[in-house]
Amino acid sequence: MERFALARELVLQAGAALRESRLREDEIQHKSGYQDLVTRWDKETEQFLRRGISEAFPQDIIVGEEYPAANEGAEGCTWYLDPIDGTTNFVSQHRNYAVSVGCWRGEEPLFGLVLDVERPALYWAEAGSGAFRDGTPLHTSRRREVQELLMTVPGVPRTLLNPHPRQEGLLRLAREVRGVRSLGSVALELCALAAGEADLFVTLRSCPWDHNAGRIILAEAGGSLCDLEGEFLPLDRRTPVLAANAPETLRLVRERYLGAAE
């Protein structure tokens, strides 16, 4: 089985198990603090994904949220796994969470899959072949004026409320766009951009497993993303992310609100 087919099968199986899951309070733990949650389902889902990938492609590198990277320095492709992107939503709502799997060969994107588990809806893209939700092609919105844009921000306190060097510009942006929403899942919010349901996305902190699948889907749908300096997002470390429905929207926002000189 080739990599994309395997990934699709594993993601769908993981989602089916999560939809049937039941979570006890004693199965919820804190990582860095009370707002940073992990459950036994995060861990079991990642273990399931890792086993399936390792058995089929033992030479591949696996980078996931809950466990140390496997096969670092190997010659194979690199998989980025987020077993539950939106764990807080999973715990509190049992909706608006995703299984996210992205695969890269070096810095070359191969494919990304993001399963909105409870809908259920599978967002996916293979590099050079377009983006889809289930079988429907996706394209970003054509809105370009700031007052038309719907912006999504997964971490509102950190991005908009807590002091940081970019706060003033981002607050002005938030006041001038059509609206600001927070879903609480980086992967799903990038897919919302890909589907034309939002137009702009910003977060001060996103990890490789959060965005390395969704960024492929967004790019294939016509969108664009970078860090707040306008640079290529690193694949291997935590970074701020700015994403938009088109490269020109991204440039406009950076020039007008982030002090970028093009």
Side-chain angles (χ1 to χ4, degrees):
M1 183 181 293
E2 55 98 19
R3 286 179 175 87
F4 175 80
L6 173 67
R8 185 178 187 277
E9 180 178 301
L10 291 174
V11 165
L12 291 174
Q13 288 181 20
L18 287 170
R19 280 193 297 276
E20 298 301 318
S21 67
R22 297 295 178 266
L23 189 64
R24 302 192 311 266
E25 283 297 321
D26 62 0
E27 295 173 332
I28 305 168
Q29 298 174 323
H30 299 158
K31 293 195 283 188
S32 62
Y34 75 96
Q35 294 179 327
D36 186 12
L37 303 179
V38 63
T39 73
R40 78 174 181 93
W41 287 100
D42 294 79
K43 296 176 180 180
E44 289 184 6
T45 302
E46 184 166 327
Q47 289 170 353
F48 168 76
L49 296 171
R50 282 174 175 261
R51 279 196 305 271
I53 296 164
S54 295
E55 289 172 4
F57 300 100
Q59 75 279 17
D60 283 2
I61 304 159
I62 301 175
V63 179
E65 180 172 14
E66 306 303 339
Y67 295 97
N71 283 351
E72 282 188 295
E75 297 297 323
C77 298
T78 303
W79 299 67
Y80 297 93
L81 313 180
D82 198 336
I84 302 179
D85 183 51
T87 299
T88 297
N89 294 343
F90 174 69
V91 170
S92 298
Q93 305 172 343
H94 208 78
R95 60 186 177 89
N96 296 327
Y97 64 94
V99 180
S100 177
V101 174
C103 189
W104 294 67
R105 181 178 287 113
E107 292 193 351
E108 174 192 357
L110 298 181
F111 60 81
L113 301 101
V114 174
L115 178 66
D116 186 341
V117 175
E118 294 295 329
R119 288 182 69 173
L122 181 64
Y123 298 85
W124 58 275
E126 293 182 89
S129 300
F132 299 85
R133 180 170 54 210
D134 298 322
T136 303
L138 299 179
H139 200 282
T140 56
S141 76
R142 300 187 183 279
R143 294 179 285 272
R144 299 292 185 266
E145 299 298 323
V146 170
Q147 64 268 25
E148 298 176 332
L149 303 180
L150 182 64
M151 181 168 76
T152 66
V153 181
V156 172
R158 180 179 292 110
T159 301
L160 296 179
L161 303 182
N162 296 345
H164 60 83
R166 304 285 192 173
Q167 184 188 28
E168 182 179 348
L170 290 175
L171 281 173
R172 187 160 56 88
L173 174 62
R175 294 186 186 104
E176 294 181 7
V177 294
R178 176 171 286 169
V180 179
R181 300 291 182 268
S182 180
L183 189 58
S185 165
V186 169
L188 290 179
E189 293 188 53
L190 291 176
C191 288
L193 261 68
E197 297 167 356
D199 313 292
L200 189 63
F201 167 94
V202 63
T203 181
L204 290 190
R205 188 178 73 177
S206 182
C207 293
W209 44 82
D210 295 323
H211 56 251
N212 277 345
R215 66 192 289 181
I216 301 173
I217 298 167
L218 176 61
E220 288 294 318
S224 184
L225 78 171
C226 60
D227 67 14
L228 297 189
E229 306 299 327
E231 300 296 329
F232 177 82
L233 285 187
L235 292 170
D236 60 352
R237 64 181 185 272
R238 189 167 63 188
T239 180
V241 179
L242 178 67
N245 55 13
E248 54 265 39
T249 309
L250 203 65
R251 286 194 296 271
L252 172 66
V253 168
R254 291 195 62 250
E255 291 170 3
R256 190 176 295 180
Y257 300 96
L258 298 177
E262 298 293 341

